[in-house]
Amino acid sequence: QVQLVESGGGLVQAGDSLRLSCAASGRTFSRYRMGWLRQAPGKEREFVAAIEWNGDRTYYADSVEGRFTISRDNAKNAVYLQMNSLKPEDTAVYYCAADRAPSFSSYGRVSSYDYWGQGTQVTVSS
């Protein structure tokens, strides 16, 4: 079991940057693939980025590739999402999530994630 708490959201202008943080509790955090997913009003939850348990591989949605960077610090039980060049279409609630038993291609599937935080709102104005 792991508990996840996101922070760092807010209201910014297009082109600005934000860094989201996810604090995890539980001894097994370092074993899990971690992901960031988001949900905009009226839309389904979607994959944003993921990182393997040891940080050696990362994955990104096409819409954020080159602008967002996911990282983790297992010693601090934390995952981060650095978001640069933000766009109004990035506006959403952002969730941190953990996948207990990831398969090679499952990182992009919302249903693959077992534990979720409560979410943090990111609003980008034009």
Side-chain angles (χ1 to χ4, degrees), residues 62-90:
D62 290 344
S63 58
V64 306
E65 180 84 50
R67 299 188 297 123
F68 291 10
T69 302
I70 188 172
S71 60
R72 67 189 297 164
D73 186 338
N74 287 343
K76 295 182 178 179
N77 273 18
V79 182
Y80 308 100
L81 186 68
Q82 177 67 41
M83 305 186 295
N84 298 330
S85 302
L86 282 161
K87 304 175 181 180
E89 51 264 44
D90 294 319

Side-chain angles (χ1 to χ4, degrees), residues 13-59:
Q13 294 186 330
D16 285 351
S17 299
L18 272 179
R19 188 191 195 209
L20 304 183
S21 298
C22 174
S25 62
R27 292 176 294 175
T28 55
F29 165 80
S30 61
R31 302 178 189 175
Y32 299 156
R33 174 189 286 163
M34 297 298 297
W36 285 97
L37 301 95
R38 67 187 181 187
Q39 188 165 19
K43 295 187 177 181
E44 294 186 353
R45 196 167 296 189
E46 65 176 6
F47 167 76
V48 175
I51 186 167
E52 296 294 359
W53 69 273
N54 59 357
D56 70 340
R57 186 168 290 186
T58 57
Y59 313 93

Side-chain angles (χ1 to χ4, degrees), residues 72-114:
R72 67 189 297 164
D73 186 338
N74 287 343
K76 295 182 178 179
N77 273 18
V79 182
Y80 308 100
L81 186 68
Q82 177 67 41
M83 305 186 295
N84 298 330
S85 302
L86 282 161
K87 304 175 181 180
E89 51 264 44
D90 294 319
T91 295
V93 177
Y94 283 72
Y95 297 91
C96 174
D99 187 344
R100 291 181 302 176
S103 61
F104 177 74
S105 60
S106 66
Y107 59 86
R109 287 202 299 268
V110 173
S111 60
S112 295
Y113 294 89
D114 304 289

